[in-house]
Amino acid sequence: MSISIGQVAPDFEADTTQGRIRFHEWIGDGWAILFSHPKDFTPVCTTELGTMAGLKPEFDKRNTKIIGLSVDPVDSHSRWADDIREVTGHAVTYPMIGDPSLAVSKAYGMLPADAGSTSEGRTAATNATVRVVVFIGPDKQVKAYLAYPMTAGRNFDEILRLLDSLQLTAKHKVATPANWKHGEDVIIAGSVNNDDAKKLFPAGWKEPKPYIRIVPQP
């Protein structure tokens, strides 16, 4: 199974470092980001989980819950959390999902159906595809899906930037251009004709081409 933008994020029940959850119920009526890791006590992932912990206040400001996942059991996650705090200086205060049966990893298309039913005996290399970031909206639909190789640490500034774009464009009929950052000009969505655009943006817009209509961020 693969995950596509626009589909409903697979729901599941799982144990986490903060107790058992049903995913959709845990998300509630806000946004959520699920980010996954191939195995506990791996070097790149240690830096990532600590970075995410340090940025948690930024996600809180955006009404976005964050949750980690590794195929190892929850008790292993709890031990790993001590290393993460020691190495990065940030305590992991968000939940981390244990996926020892590989059920969640399979549901999100990170492992094939024939990968087996246990994390025991599996290495980081055999779980290499369990390195994704899934952005989920209040409607429980997947809004973005990023995959990374094991050797490249994730850029969490980009994850925040993309979240800002997703939340802005969900609220307003605009799109964000290349390298956009919060507060910069945006583009009126192509689905909005000029008559409607005049109502939405009465101050007008810059138009370097007829199909590019630039306005300040709403």
Side-chain angles (χ1 to χ4, degrees), residues 133-182:
V133 184
V134 187
F135 297 73
I136 302 166
D139 56 4
K140 310 302 184 292
Q141 290 184 1
V142 174
K143 304 302 181 182
Y145 186 95
L146 307 176
Y148 291 79
M150 288 177 58
T151 52
R154 285 168 261 206
N155 184 326
F156 288 94
D157 291 334
E158 167 61 12
I159 288 170
L160 280 172
R161 190 196 76 89
L162 177 53
L163 178 61
D164 284 339
S165 175
L166 293 170
Q167 292 187 336
L168 176 69
T169 57
K171 185 176 181 181
H172 301 281
K173 294 182 178 181
V174 296
T176 55
N179 298 325
W180 173 88
K181 294 179 182 178
H182 182 73

Side-chain angles (χ1 to χ4, degrees), residues 13 17 23 43 65 67 71 74 90 120 170-171 187 212:
E13 284 192 39
T17 51
F23 190 48
K65 293 182 175 181
I67 190 165
V71 301
V74 167
H90 298 293
E120 289 188 23
K171 185 176 181 181
I187 298 169
I212 303 175

Side-chain angles (χ1 to χ4, degrees), residues 80-117:
W80 189 20
D82 292 335
D83 285 4
I84 294 165
R85 182 178 64 251
E86 183 179 343
V87 170
T88 69
H90 298 293
V92 177
T93 58
Y94 51 82
M96 291 180 60
I97 299 164
D99 190 28
S101 70
L102 311 180
V104 181
S105 297
K106 291 179 182 179
Y108 277 78
M110 297 183 285
L111 288 173
D114 61 0
S117 59

Side-chain angles (χ1 to χ4, degrees), residues 19-210:
R20 192 161 182 83
I21 65 166
R22 177 173 286 279
F23 190 48
H24 283 192
E25 182 179 289
W26 176 83
I27 292 173
D29 59 2
W31 290 70
I33 292 178
L34 167 67
F35 61 109
S36 63
H37 307 271
K39 195 167 183 63
D40 292 0
F41 302 99
T42 49
V44 173
C45 296
T46 298
T47 66
E48 292 176 330
L49 287 160
T51 300
M52 199 67 153
L55 288 172
K56 187 176 181 299
E58 292 298 322
F59 292 101
D60 291 343
K61 289 177 189 176
R62 293 161 173 82
N63 190 31
T64 300
K65 293 182 175 181
I66 56 176
I67 190 165
L69 176 146
S70 170
V71 301
D72 290 321
V74 167
D75 60 348
S76 176
H77 295 354
S78 298
R79 295 194 304 273
W80 189 20
D82 292 335
D83 285 4
I84 294 165
R85 182 178 64 251
E86 183 179 343
V87 170
T88 69
H90 298 293
V92 177
T93 58
Y94 51 82
M96 291 180 60
I97 299 164
D99 190 28
S101 70
L102 311 180
V104 181
S105 297
K106 291 179 182 179
Y108 277 78
M110 297 183 285
L111 288 173
D114 61 0
S117 59
T118 179
S119 62
E120 289 188 23
R122 297 182 66 87
T123 66
T126 56
N127 298 332
T129 50
V130 187
R131 275 184 60 74
V132 306
V133 184
V134 187
F135 297 73
I136 302 166
D139 56 4
K140 310 302 184 292
Q141 290 184 1
V142 174
K143 304 302 181 182
Y145 186 95
L146 307 176
Y148 291 79
M150 288 177 58
T151 52
R154 285 168 261 206
N155 184 326
F156 288 94
D157 291 334
E158 167 61 12
I159 288 170
L160 280 172
R161 190 196 76 89
L162 177 53
L163 178 61
D164 284 339
S165 175
L166 293 170
Q167 292 187 336
L168 176 69
T169 57
K171 185 176 181 181
H172 301 281
K173 294 182 178 181
V174 296
T176 55
N179 298 325
W180 173 88
K181 294 179 182 178
H182 182 73
E184 296 179 348
D185 287 351
V186 297
I187 298 169
I188 300 173
S191 58
V192 179
N193 63 39
N194 281 346
D195 289 338
D196 289 337
K198 289 174 184 176
K199 298 172 186 175
L200 293 170
F201 305 97
W205 54 82
K206 294 180 288 185
E207 191 174 282
K209 293 291 181 181

